[in-house]
Amino acid sequence: MIIKPVPCLKDNYAYLLLDPQANQAAVVDPVEPEKVKAALAEYPEYKLSAGRQELLTNQPFIYLLIYIYRILTTHHHWDHAGGNKKLLEQFPELTCYGGSNNVEGVNKIVGDKESFKVGQLEVIPLTTACHTMDHICYYVSDNGKNAVFTGDCIFSSGCGRFFEGTPQDMWESISKVAALPDSTHVYFGHEYTIANLKFAEHVEPENKEIQEKIAWAKRVGCTTPSTIQNEKLTNPFFRVQESSVQERVLGKDNKASPIEVLGKVRAMKDNF
Ligand SMILES: [Zn+2]
């Protein structure tokens, strides 16, 4: 599979997901459809075969090309779902996946692990409530290469604000994503990495992985994708069971559940 980030708005990422075997395409959170279509134009072979070719019977040498894109929407916020209707107006045959009817343009609501295909790629939706209750992460694996599109649930070294859910909801969502293979590439919805890492360093000043990642992030600018393994090493919201994080949040020798610690780390970040 090929995954191509498409920077949108101020710091959002839409993504192209391409299956080279079937030459089929899907788009993730295409908030600015023109930018996503321009990115797709760099892969002309996908244009022709993303849908089906139909011979016009009265014009034997002219083919009508119907492009079938699929839209994978992570959640209902406008900066992710806000391009869906525009894209559907241009391509009414689109299948638009999402977690609830609150998602603009949704015509296929998916539940946990109700998998579907993009070409030959199996896409597995993971319900990951908290930032919004309809949040879906999409997991794709292809010949040992794995990827997950995490929207505003999980960022590089951070997580989304708890707008609709509780610390327990986010803990369940993080645990679900953390259970994916360590090598899984994590394609997140916003370029917040440096700000997230500054907070991560505040929580764990001694964490060498965080320090190295800050230097790397400053060098590369665009930090997508991360990996599950890297998140386990640098993301304070994944690390609420580590004694270093617990001590920072609770003080020395105090104990609390991962869910309580997660709530406290989120509150710290919201005021950082
Ligand atoms: Zn959001």
Side-chain angles (χ1 to χ4, degrees), residues 3-260:
I3 296 171
K4 171 93 179 159
V6 185
C8 290
L9 305 176
K10 186 163 150 265
D11 50 30
N12 276 74
Y13 286 118
Y15 293 98
L16 304 181
L17 168 64
L18 308 175
D19 173 19
Q21 283 174 310
N23 278 356
Q24 290 209 23
V27 293
V28 181
D29 289 351
V31 59
E32 291 186 291
E34 297 312 317
K35 286 188 183 168
V36 172
K37 282 161 61 188
L40 197 54
E42 290 175 28
Y43 300 88
E45 66 275 26
Y46 290 87
K47 241 187 194 174
L48 292 175
S49 48
R52 54 184 190 274
Q53 293 187 345
E54 286 182 1
L55 191 62
L56 299 180
T57 48
N58 57 345
Q59 295 173 297
F61 302 109
I62 298 174
Y63 288 88
L64 172 66
L65 304 177
I66 302 174
Y67 309 139
I68 301 179
Y69 302 95
R70 290 171 186 80
I71 304 175
L72 315 186
T73 321
T74 58
H75 65 297
H76 68 79
H77 287 158
W78 75 271
D79 60 327
H80 297 262
N84 289 356
K85 273 199 176 141
K86 198 171 167 193
L87 212 45
L88 283 161
E89 278 164 19
Q90 294 168 32
F91 305 98
E93 69 282 5
L94 287 180
T95 306
C96 181
Y97 296 91
S100 81
N101 278 321
N102 291 332
V103 172
E104 181 181 299
V106 70
N107 54 32
K108 181 71 187 162
I109 294 174
V110 286
D112 196 44
K113 300 195 173 70
E114 289 177 7
S115 66
F116 56 90
K117 293 263 178 137
V118 172
Q120 293 175 30
L121 302 172
E122 188 182 26
V123 180
I124 303 174
L126 304 172
T127 52
T128 40
C130 183
H131 177 72
T132 66
M133 294 312 281
D134 64 2
H135 199 291
I136 304 281
C137 293
Y138 295 93
Y139 176 68
V140 194
S141 80
D142 177 34
N143 277 330
K145 278 196 339 195
N146 310 313
V148 62
F149 298 96
T150 57
D152 285 359
C153 176
I154 288 158
F155 300 125
S156 183
S157 301
C159 74
R161 286 177 184 261
F162 300 1
F163 285 129
E164 296 180 9
T166 62
Q168 167 135 15
D169 292 324
M170 184 53 92
W171 180 239
E172 285 169 14
S173 297
I174 287 175
S175 301
K176 203 181 271 189
V177 174
L180 298 173
D182 276 352
S183 60
T184 304
H185 284 163
V186 178
Y187 292 89
F188 42 87
H190 287 271
E191 183 59 60
Y192 291 160
T193 308
I194 288 177
N196 285 340
L197 284 164
K198 284 183 179 160
F199 174 70
E201 189 182 35
H202 171 72
V203 176
E204 291 187 279
E206 309 294 321
N207 184 324
K208 291 266 182 302
E209 301 285 345
I210 291 172
Q211 291 163 11
E212 282 169 21
K213 192 170 173 183
I214 290 175
W216 168 81
K218 285 181 176 166
R219 205 166 59 238
V220 299
C222 169
T223 63
T224 189
S226 181
T227 62
I228 297 294
Q229 183 179 36
N230 184 269
E231 293 312 305
K232 287 178 179 171
L233 295 170
T234 68
N235 190 326
F237 300 95
F238 276 59
R239 293 174 58 76
V240 292
Q241 287 170 305
E242 298 293 326
S243 56
S244 49
V245 175
Q246 295 217 346
E247 208 168 281
R248 186 80 169 104
V249 171
L250 304 168
K252 228 178 168 20
D253 300 327
N254 289 315
K255 289 263 169 284
S257 73
I259 293 164
E260 278 176 85

